Amino acid sequence: MYLEIFSFCPRWGQTHLSWDEFAKRVKESGYDGVETDVPAAKKEKDIVLNTLAKYGLKLVAQHWETVEPDFEQHLEAYKKRLETMAAAKPLLINSQTGKDYYTLEQNAALIAEAAKTSVSTGIPVYHETHRGKFSFAAHITAEYLKQLPELLLTLDISHWVAVAETLLHDQQDAVDLAISRTRHFHARVGHTQGAQVNDPRAPEWQEALDMHLRCWDKVYSANKQAGQPFLTFTAEFGPYPYMPQLPYTRQPVVDQWEVNAYMNDLLKSRYRKP
C-alpha cells in the first residue's frame, strides 16, 4: 500500500516576501502547502487563506505564540489560539505546547484541551517535540506518551539531539515510541551542539543527516503500516539565529530557501510512489 506524502514550506524566514510572492514561489518549487501561524485579525487572516487558495496550497497551522508563564493565563490563551487556527480549516494544527517547567498535570491539561479541539472540529492537533516545551527531551516525552494514549506528535528530532548532546543512539526505546505516535515531522537536521547544522549537503554532516533520515524512514514505515491516509512533513531549516551568520557582515552562511528546497526534493524523491 502506497502512503501519500505532502510537503510544506515554512513561512518562517520568508516574511520579506509578500504573501503572493511567497505562495507563488512555494508552488513553483514543488511544495504541497505552507506551514505558518494564523493571524487573529480577519483582514490579515483572509490574505493568508485567500492566497493559499489562489495557488492551490494546503495549510498546516502552526502554534507557538502562547508564552504566558502563569499557567491559568497560558491555558486561556492556548484555547483562543486553538479556536483561531481551527477556524481557518487547516489540514492539521502543529502545536508547540506547554512549558518545560510546568508539571506533568499542567501540560497534560493543555494536551487535553487540544484533544477537545480535535474532537469538536475534526482537525487533528499534533504536538511538536521542541526545546522549552513539555516535549523538550526524548526521555521526558516518553513519559507523556505512556500516560496519554491520545497524544500524537510532530517529530522534530533535531531538538532532542541538541538537548541530549548525542545522536540518541542511547535512547532508542524513547525515540521508537515517539516515532510510533508521529503524524507530521519537521525535516531539519540537528547536531550534538545545536538544532540546525549549517548545511545538510556538506559531507561533514553526513552522520547527522543519516541519523535523521533513518528516523524519518521509520516514521514513513510506521504510518504506512498503520494504514494512515497520508503523511506530512515541513522542510524547516530556519533563518538566524538557527542559521549561522558570518561575523560583522551578518550574512547567512548558506541560503535558507535553497537548503529547504534541497530537503524537500530529497524526501519527495525518497518517498515517491514506485
Side-chain angles (χ1 to χ4, degrees), residues 10-192:
R11 176 63 169 164
W12 180 38
Q14 299 298 319
T15 54
H16 59 286
L17 298 175
S18 71
W19 262 100
D20 194 85
E21 291 170 325
F22 171 66
K24 183 175 185 290
R25 193 177 189 192
V26 168
K27 187 70 173 181
E28 290 174 347
S29 298
Y31 294 93
D32 300 295
V34 169
E35 181 165 341
T36 184
D37 59 295
V38 177
K42 184 179 186 304
K43 181 179 179 180
E44 286 77 11
K45 181 168 67 175
D46 286 348
I47 290 173
V48 174
L49 299 183
N50 291 338
T51 306
L52 294 180
K54 173 183 176 181
Y55 289 97
L57 295 168
K58 297 175 173 60
L59 170 66
V60 167
Q62 184 183 60
H63 167 261
W64 54 268
E65 303 96 331
T66 308
V67 296
E68 293 81 359
D70 177 82
F71 175 72
E72 293 302 328
Q73 293 178 4
H74 193 108
L75 177 60
E76 288 306 308
Y78 188 55
K79 289 179 183 178
K80 291 178 181 177
R81 286 303 301 153
L82 289 173
E83 291 171 2
T84 296
M85 290 184 292
K89 304 296 182 185
L91 185 65
L92 62 96
I93 295 171
N94 172 41
S95 175
Q96 295 180 14
T97 306
K99 294 284 189 181
D100 53 4
Y101 54 79
Y102 283 170
T103 66
L104 189 151
E105 291 74 20
Q106 288 173 323
N107 281 320
L110 294 165
I111 294 166
E113 195 61 44
K116 290 179 186 177
T117 297
S118 291
V119 170
S120 64
T121 66
I123 298 168
V125 181
Y126 305 142
H127 301 272
E128 184 178 347
T129 59
H130 201 290
R131 289 170 298 164
K133 311 304 177 182
F134 85 86
S135 52
F136 68 93
H139 68 290
I140 298 296
T141 307
E143 294 305 312
Y144 284 90
L145 291 167
K146 291 171 185 176
Q147 296 192 37
L148 303 172
E150 74 279 11
L151 175 57
L152 296 174
L153 300 176
T154 292
L155 184 66
D156 189 336
I157 203 161
S158 68
H159 288 283
W160 287 356
V161 167
V163 169
E165 294 191 314
T166 72
L167 293 179
L168 301 173
H169 57 276
D170 53 348
Q171 299 190 60
Q172 199 57 56
D173 288 346
V175 171
D176 286 343
L177 176 58
I179 285 171
S180 73
R181 305 275 279 277
T182 294
R183 298 293 179 266
H184 177 55
F185 67 91
H186 279 179
R188 184 175 62 246
V189 177
H191 59 100
T192 60

Side-chain angles (χ1 to χ4, degrees), residues 239-254:
Y240 180 82
Y242 276 64
M243 177 69 69
Q245 293 179 335
L246 296 173
Y248 305 107
T249 65
R250 302 191 67 181
Q251 295 302 302
V253 296
V254 294

Side-chain angles (χ1 to χ4, degrees), residues 178-217:
I179 285 171
S180 73
R181 305 275 279 277
T182 294
R183 298 293 179 266
H184 177 55
F185 67 91
H186 279 179
R188 184 175 62 246
V189 177
H191 59 100
T192 60
Q193 300 303 317
Q196 182 170 305
V197 301
N198 52 26
D199 190 336
R201 300 166 295 186
E204 59 265 34
W205 297 119
Q206 190 66 50
E207 182 182 12
L209 174 61
D210 288 345
M211 172 265 170
H212 286 73
L213 286 171
R214 285 194 298 272
C215 289
W216 301 334
D217 287 350

